[in-house]
Amino acid sequence: MKRIITLVISLSFGHFNYAQSGKIIYDVKQNMEVIFGGEVEVKNLPDGMAEMFSEPQNFSKELLFHDGVSLYRDKKGEEMEDLNYSSDDGSIEIRIFQEEVPEILYVDHHSSKIIHQKGIMGKPFVIKDSFENLPWKITSEKVKFLNYECIKATYEEDDKLIVAWFTPEIAPYLGPSKYHSLPGTILLLNINDGETEFKAREIIKDDFSSEINAPKKGKKVSQKEYDEIKLEKEKEMREQMGNMEKRIEIDNH
């Protein structure tokens, strides 16, 4: 019975809400303590370093959408800044630098194409990929959020539990970062019980189509090529810096 209900919702969206336009602003909270001292293991870090990250990292993102095309990026005026951490006695100091190249995720749902702009140490790359349907399991649980009725959906990715609450009242297949492919728009999302949380702050119904453009700045590569270049650059940095510096990358979604 659940499968039939889900199918009916999906089909109705294809004819009714797909042409909606608007912008969703998400507040994102990233648990730094978990990343450095809990479920994500980082080897060879000094003792006591994890305690330095008791406060979560907060930042904002925005998702623009129009007629089956979307753009996910840093919210203008609320971009992430470099972070500095130091122990109480000053013996440990850690700086987290934000990538100079802004990360932009462009999705064309009509052609199932994704264009992702990312950077490696200040050099921009454009990655072209195909839209991947995530293996969501839609439940019967519902909540009211921002005056929208939201339905709970879950799936597991690399031993992490992803929990989303999506509303069928806005356009389908939309969500923060790479989390999408539900018959509606994700307004709340939780990764691994609070490791990272997304919460829609504001939903603006307006035409932002002039801002939704595929990124073009950077060398065009496949995801595999990008991963190989990234590994090589990180290897070069380790060889240059020796033990003086340890590079730790944090996915800011």
Side-chain angles (χ1 to χ4, degrees), residues 80 134 174 179 207 227:
M80 296 175 66
L134 302 175
L174 295 178
Y179 303 102
D207 185 354
D227 293 339

mmCIF file with all atom_site columns, all heavy atoms in Angstrom, residues 80 134 174 179 207 227:
data_model
loop_
_atom_site.group_PDB
_atom_site.id
_atom_site.type_symbol
_atom_site.label_atom_id
_atom_site.label_alt_id
_atom_site.label_comp_id
_atom_site.label_asym_id
_atom_site.label_entity_id
_atom_site.label_seq_id
_atom_site.pdbx_PDB_ins_code
_atom_site.Cartn_x
_atom_site.Cartn_y
_atom_site.Cartn_z
_atom_site.occupancy
_atom_site.B_iso_or_equiv
_atom_site.pdbx_formal_charge
_atom_site.auth_seq_id
_atom_site.auth_comp_id
_atom_site.auth_asym_id
_atom_site.auth_atom_id
_atom_site.pdbx_PDB_model_num
ATOM 1  N N   . MET A 1 80  ? 31.165 31.158 5.012   1.00 0.00 ? 80  MET A N   1
ATOM 2  C CA  . MET A 1 80  ? 31.980 30.633 6.100   1.00 0.00 ? 80  MET A CA  1
ATOM 3  C C   . MET A 1 80  ? 33.312 31.363 6.164   1.00 0.00 ? 80  MET A C   1
ATOM 4  O O   . MET A 1 80  ? 33.854 31.794 5.155   1.00 0.00 ? 80  MET A O   1
ATOM 5  C CB  . MET A 1 80  ? 32.217 29.136 5.899   1.00 0.00 ? 80  MET A CB  1
ATOM 6  C CG  . MET A 1 80  ? 30.962 28.297 5.954   1.00 0.00 ? 80  MET A CG  1
ATOM 7  S SD  . MET A 1 80  ? 31.305 26.569 5.579   1.00 0.00 ? 80  MET A SD  1
ATOM 8  C CE  . MET A 1 80  ? 32.329 26.135 6.978   1.00 0.00 ? 80  MET A CE  1
ATOM 9  N N   . LEU A 1 134 ? 18.617 8.641  -4.782  1.00 0.00 ? 134 LEU A N   1
ATOM 10 C CA  . LEU A 1 134 ? 19.044 8.086  -3.508  1.00 0.00 ? 134 LEU A CA  1
ATOM 11 C C   . LEU A 1 134 ? 18.020 7.060  -3.018  1.00 0.00 ? 134 LEU A C   1
ATOM 12 O O   . LEU A 1 134 ? 16.819 7.200  -3.264  1.00 0.00 ? 134 LEU A O   1
ATOM 13 C CB  . LEU A 1 134 ? 19.209 9.215  -2.484  1.00 0.00 ? 134 LEU A CB  1
ATOM 14 C CG  . LEU A 1 134 ? 20.206 10.309 -2.896  1.00 0.00 ? 134 LEU A CG  1
ATOM 15 C CD1 . LEU A 1 134 ? 20.209 11.442 -1.879  1.00 0.00 ? 134 LEU A CD1 1
ATOM 16 C CD2 . LEU A 1 134 ? 21.603 9.737  -3.053  1.00 0.00 ? 134 LEU A CD2 1
ATOM 17 N N   . LEU A 1 174 ? 14.030 18.288 -4.597  1.00 0.00 ? 174 LEU A N   1
ATOM 18 C CA  . LEU A 1 174 ? 14.905 19.347 -4.116  1.00 0.00 ? 174 LEU A CA  1
ATOM 19 C C   . LEU A 1 174 ? 15.347 19.087 -2.680  1.00 0.00 ? 174 LEU A C   1
ATOM 20 O O   . LEU A 1 174 ? 14.619 18.493 -1.890  1.00 0.00 ? 174 LEU A O   1
ATOM 21 C CB  . LEU A 1 174 ? 14.194 20.707 -4.165  1.00 0.00 ? 174 LEU A CB  1
ATOM 22 C CG  . LEU A 1 174 ? 13.809 21.239 -5.535  1.00 0.00 ? 174 LEU A CG  1
ATOM 23 C CD1 . LEU A 1 174 ? 13.076 22.568 -5.375  1.00 0.00 ? 174 LEU A CD1 1
ATOM 24 C CD2 . LEU A 1 174 ? 15.023 21.412 -6.427  1.00 0.00 ? 174 LEU A CD2 1
ATOM 25 N N   . TYR A 1 179 ? 21.445 15.971 -1.216  1.00 0.00 ? 179 TYR A N   1
ATOM 26 C CA  . TYR A 1 179 ? 20.299 15.226 -0.700  1.00 0.00 ? 179 TYR A CA  1
ATOM 27 C C   . TYR A 1 179 ? 19.029 15.691 -1.411  1.00 0.00 ? 179 TYR A C   1
ATOM 28 O O   . TYR A 1 179 ? 18.561 16.815 -1.216  1.00 0.00 ? 179 TYR A O   1
ATOM 29 C CB  . TYR A 1 179 ? 20.208 15.393 0.807   1.00 0.00 ? 179 TYR A CB  1
ATOM 30 C CG  . TYR A 1 179 ? 21.486 14.961 1.487   1.00 0.00 ? 179 TYR A CG  1
ATOM 31 C CD1 . TYR A 1 179 ? 22.416 15.887 1.943   1.00 0.00 ? 179 TYR A CD1 1
ATOM 32 C CD2 . TYR A 1 179 ? 21.802 13.602 1.612   1.00 0.00 ? 179 TYR A CD2 1
ATOM 33 C CE1 . TYR A 1 179 ? 23.610 15.486 2.529   1.00 0.00 ? 179 TYR A CE1 1
ATOM 34 C CE2 . TYR A 1 179 ? 22.996 13.202 2.190   1.00 0.00 ? 179 TYR A CE2 1
ATOM 35 C CZ  . TYR A 1 179 ? 23.896 14.142 2.646   1.00 0.00 ? 179 TYR A CZ  1
ATOM 36 O OH  . TYR A 1 179 ? 25.085 13.744 3.208   1.00 0.00 ? 179 TYR A OH  1
ATOM 37 N N   . ASP A 1 207 ? 10.713 34.681 -8.372  1.00 0.00 ? 207 ASP A N   1
ATOM 38 C CA  . ASP A 1 207 ? 11.438 34.223 -9.558  1.00 0.00 ? 207 ASP A CA  1
ATOM 39 C C   . ASP A 1 207 ? 12.914 34.578 -9.427  1.00 0.00 ? 207 ASP A C   1
ATOM 40 O O   . ASP A 1 207 ? 13.299 35.751 -9.514  1.00 0.00 ? 207 ASP A O   1
ATOM 41 C CB  . ASP A 1 207 ? 10.844 34.877 -10.811 1.00 0.00 ? 207 ASP A CB  1
ATOM 42 C CG  . ASP A 1 207 ? 11.465 34.347 -12.090 1.00 0.00 ? 207 ASP A CG  1
ATOM 43 O OD1 . ASP A 1 207 ? 12.431 33.548 -12.004 1.00 0.00 ? 207 ASP A OD1 1
ATOM 44 O OD2 . ASP A 1 207 ? 10.996 34.723 -13.176 1.00 0.00 ? 207 ASP A OD2 1
ATOM 45 N N   . ASP A 1 227 ? 38.947 13.583 -7.976  1.00 0.00 ? 227 ASP A N   1
ATOM 46 C CA  . ASP A 1 227 ? 39.431 12.867 -6.792  1.00 0.00 ? 227 ASP A CA  1
ATOM 47 C C   . ASP A 1 227 ? 40.924 12.559 -6.897  1.00 0.00 ? 227 ASP A C   1
ATOM 48 O O   . ASP A 1 227 ? 41.662 12.667 -5.908  1.00 0.00 ? 227 ASP A O   1
ATOM 49 C CB  . ASP A 1 227 ? 38.639 11.573 -6.598  1.00 0.00 ? 227 ASP A CB  1
ATOM 50 C CG  . ASP A 1 227 ? 37.181 11.828 -6.240  1.00 0.00 ? 227 ASP A CG  1
ATOM 51 O OD1 . ASP A 1 227 ? 36.871 12.931 -5.757  1.00 0.00 ? 227 ASP A OD1 1
ATOM 52 O OD2 . ASP A 1 227 ? 36.354 10.924 -6.438  1.00 0.00 ? 227 ASP A OD2 1
#
